[in-house]
Amino acid sequence: MNMDSSKNALGNTVLISILFACVLCLCIWSASLSNPLLFSFQRSNHCPSHSQTDMKTLKFPTDQLELALVKASTPNKTVIITVVNQAYVEQSVDAETTMLDLFLESFWLGEDTRPLLDHLLVVAVDQIAYEMCFFKGLNCYKLETEGVDFGGEKIYMSQDFINMMWRRTLFLLDVLKRGYNFIFTDTDVMWLRNPISRLSIYNESVDLEISTDRFNGDPESEKNPINTGFYHIRSNNKTVSLFDAWYGRKDNSTGKKEQDVFFDLMDEGMFGQLGLQARFLDTVYFSGFCEDSKDIKAVITVHANCCRSINAKIKDLTAVLRDWKKFKATSAEAAAARSTVTVPFSWTGHFGCLDSWNNNV
């Protein structure tokens, strides 16, 4: 009698395991059919083999971060990550919108960018930011930092700003150690086009692709002035070692932000020592206020770098999206009229950010 019960229990467990695997396979297959864009972002054998359906091989999330990463990641374990605080999600008296709303609007207006929101993980460093993220129906994770308030605006290069950047670095190290590749993006980066075709998502020989303030023309030159506000990184022993060394210098880098320390590591030959292959992104595609893209037909992202305050960034990024909408409208009109005339285009000046260095705006 006991033996029969054990056999029945074992049979039920195997049956449930097989059903779970089939449902998982069906869900991924149907999602891929309904979203051809993401299908190209998911090159892997989605359906588990019969041997993989054994309950012993199934891995379940172990904590809230793992749960959030599993939910947001693609099958090849790639996730898009941004970090927000209260100042980025709440509208100030002087601003027309919030930084988070502008960021999300760019995904709505961009070319082939809306489906990427399924893979965006918004990391909130305070309760207000987390509640706003949850309210907007995004993939959210609250990053706890005991005894520290990261809620208000952190002015560029203030000590609070530097502390928050280091906390972000430690978090991203944790993500790498968990085996996840990611595209990190500051929230003040407008996504005008899907960047996947310009990034080495499937080229495992490239470990890191990072944006630059001003591109020197050589994608392999470590003399490029990097910007850690946008980069794609692959999880492996080399990148984990790099981030370990990076964060390890936190307490010996007084007066420097984490980006400066990263450049120091690169300048000292850390990439070569680790055998790490890096590529530096051309501002024609991955641009910013430091150096505008000169090709509106090619630009992918616009970063509000070389800017000091949130209000100034919101003002100038609002102009970026307005420029983008005008370009799309005039291009559509020209296409409808079958016109071969090139539509002239120029970016609105970044006057808010220019003023931010002289005024408290």
Side-chain angles (χ1 to χ4, degrees):
M1 186 72 178
N2 291 338
M3 185 176 295
D4 290 339
S5 298
S6 298
K7 289 181 179 179
N8 289 337
L10 180 61
N12 290 338
T13 299
V14 172
L15 180 60
I16 291 171
S17 302
I18 293 172
L19 287 173
F20 175 79
C22 290
V23 169
L24 180 63
C25 179
L26 181 60
C27 289
I28 296 174
W29 176 75
S30 60
S32 298
L33 285 182
S34 63
N35 194 340
L37 174 67
L38 287 184
F39 188 75
S40 66
F41 201 13
Q42 298 175 346
R43 293 184 193 170
S44 63
N45 183 13
H46 302 308
C47 299
S49 66
H50 181 73
S51 62
Q52 288 176 309
T53 59
D54 191 289
M55 287 295 290
K56 292 181 180 179
T57 67
L58 295 176
K59 294 183 179 180
F60 296 96
T62 55
D63 57 21
Q64 289 300 312
L65 176 55
E66 188 69 27
L67 185 65
L69 290 168
V70 167
K71 183 181 177 184
S73 71
T74 65
N76 75 336
K77 298 188 74 174
T78 299
V79 63
I80 301 167
I81 297 176
T82 195
V83 177
V84 297
N85 67 352
Q86 181 179 349
Y88 269 51
V89 304
E90 282 195 332
Q91 187 173 340
S92 72
V93 174
D94 300 323
E96 297 179 1
T97 185
T98 71
M99 189 69 75
L100 179 60
D101 284 338
L102 274 177
F103 179 68
L104 296 176
E105 186 180 0
S106 76
F107 281 85
W108 177 258
L109 297 172
E111 294 180 0
D112 298 329
T113 49
R114 294 182 193 177
L116 297 179
L117 285 176
D118 291 338
H119 301 295
L120 173 67
L121 177 61
V122 178
V123 179
V125 297
D126 59 71
Q127 185 62 27
I128 296 296
Y130 178 74
E131 290 174 4
M132 184 62 75
C133 175
F134 188 77
F135 177 76
K136 292 181 180 297
L138 304 168
N139 297 317
C140 312
Y141 173 72
K142 185 181 179 186
L143 180 59
E144 302 280 0
T145 307
E146 188 176 349
V148 179
D149 176 21
F150 285 135
E153 178 176 3
K154 309 307 176 191
I155 296 295
Y156 181 75
M157 287 308 294
S158 66
Q159 190 57 50
D160 284 346
F161 171 86
I162 292 172
N163 291 341
M164 190 164 71
M165 294 303 99
W166 280 118
R167 183 64 186 92
R168 183 179 83 180
T169 302
L170 181 60
F171 169 77
L172 295 173
L173 170 59
D174 188 9
V175 173
L176 285 177
K177 286 182 175 180
R178 292 168 183 257
Y180 287 88
N181 318 308
F182 60 82
I183 300 171
F184 178 79
T185 173
D186 277 343
T187 318
D188 60 353
V189 175
M190 301 294 99
W191 288 50
L192 303 182
R193 291 185 171 92
N194 188 323
I196 303 307
S197 63
R198 283 281 167 186
L199 297 176
S200 303
I201 300 295
Y202 304 109
N203 182 0
E204 295 189 4
S205 67
V206 179
D207 303 300
L208 171 68
E209 297 168 289
I210 189 165
S211 63
T212 58
D213 283 339
R214 291 178 178 82
F215 184 61
N216 70 8
D218 183 356
E220 297 181 357
S221 170
E222 295 182 5
K223 298 302 181 183
N224 277 294
I226 58 167
N227 191 300
T228 54
F230 184 95
Y231 59 91
H232 165 238
I233 190 165
R234 192 176 307 281
S235 173
N236 56 40
N237 291 337
K238 292 177 285 186
T239 56
V240 169
S241 295
L242 175 65
F243 269 57
D244 261 328
W246 186 15
Y247 187 75
R249 294 199 178 185
K250 176 179 73 73
D251 296 328
N252 297 313
S253 304
T254 304
K256 290 185 176 182
K257 61 183 181 296
E258 90 316 334
Q259 181 174 289
D260 299 329
V261 177
F262 192 91
F263 186 85
D264 288 344
L265 288 172
M266 183 175 68
D267 194 48
E268 293 167 11
M270 175 68 76
F271 288 5
Q273 294 168 24
L274 294 173
L276 185 144
Q277 295 297 314
R279 189 166 75 92
F280 302 91
L281 300 175
D282 192 335
T283 52
V284 168
Y285 307 103
F286 300 92
S287 69
F289 292 172
C290 297
E291 186 170 73
D292 288 323
S293 171
K294 296 177 176 60
D295 190 349
I296 185 61
K297 294 182 179 180
V299 65
I300 295 171
T301 59
V302 178
H303 185 191
N305 51 9
C306 291
C307 195
R308 187 168 179 266
S309 69
I310 291 178
N311 281 349
K313 291 183 178 191
I314 288 175
K315 177 182 177 180
D316 288 351
L317 288 174
T318 299
V320 166
L321 292 186
R322 185 169 58 245
D323 290 344
W324 174 250
K325 286 185 282 188
K326 287 180 180 178
F327 166 74
K328 297 292 287 182
T330 53
S331 297
E333 290 170 4
R338 297 184 179 180
S339 172
T340 58
V341 177
T342 301
V343 179
F345 175 85
S346 62
W347 297 104
T348 300
H350 314 307
F351 302 118
C353 287
L354 287 173
D355 290 343
S356 71
W357 296 101
N358 301 316
N359 307 295
N360 188 23
V361 295

